[in-house]
């Protein structure tokens, strides 16, 4: 990615959202996007989305929204919350049976 965009500013971090999104060394970095592919439970997906929102991450990609009902319900719950500042900004083609969607923080 850094070579493609001719920058050294892109940094990928991979790990459990339960620890990664609370890691002080990560939190000091500007976070532009998060890719959520968690434990596929309702609680896990809603927790991941909430942690991303609390950090103000402007773009959240979520995997398995179509393929796993608990994830879909967690996304619907998250978007219906009064404090939610996100909208669906993109969806994978219907051929993608897992159903990845993109959320964008409303400015």
């Amino acid at each position: 990615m850094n070579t493609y965009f001719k920058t050294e500013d892109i940094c990928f971090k991979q790990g459990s959202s339960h620890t990664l999104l609370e890691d002080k060394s990560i939190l000091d970095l500007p976070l532009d996007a998060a890719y959520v592919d968690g434990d596929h439970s309702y609680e896990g997906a809603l927790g991941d989305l909430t942690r991303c929102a609390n950090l103000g991450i402007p773009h959240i990609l979520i995997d398995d929204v179509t393929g796993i009902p608990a994830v879909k319900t967690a996304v619907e719950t998250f978007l219906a919350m009064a404090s939610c500042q996100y909208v669906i900004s993109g969806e994978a083609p219907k051929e993608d049976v897992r159903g990845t969607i993109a959320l964008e923080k409303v400015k």
Side-chain angles (χ1 to χ4, degrees):
M1 287 293 265
N2 283 326
T3 302
Y4 179 81
F5 287 107
K6 297 178 177 65
T7 183
E8 295 298 318
D9 296 335
I10 298 172
C11 178
F12 290 96
K13 299 292 182 179
Q14 180 177 343
S16 169
S17 60
H18 301 285
T19 55
L20 191 64
L21 292 175
E22 296 175 9
D23 181 343
K24 297 289 186 212
S25 66
I26 299 296
L27 301 181
D28 291 337
L29 300 171
L31 301 174
D32 298 316
Y35 181 77
V36 175
D37 187 13
D39 68 7
H40 303 120
S41 70
Y42 171 82
E43 294 81 7
L46 185 58
D48 288 345
L49 291 168
T50 301
R51 279 189 285 281
C52 289
N54 289 341
L55 291 171
I57 298 173
H59 305 280
I60 307 171
L61 298 170
I62 307 137
D63 196 24
D64 300 316
V65 175
T66 304
I68 300 177
V71 175
K72 180 178 182 178
T73 302
V75 170
E76 290 168 347
T77 300
F78 175 74
L79 291 173
M81 295 169 69
S83 62
C84 183
Q85 300 175 350
Y86 290 83
V87 296
I88 296 175
S89 61
E91 298 183 46
K94 293 195 186 299
E95 296 82 29
D96 176 6
V97 294
R98 297 179 311 174
T100 303
I101 66 166
L103 300 180
E104 184 174 353
K105 187 174 181 182
V106 179
K107 300 188 186 218

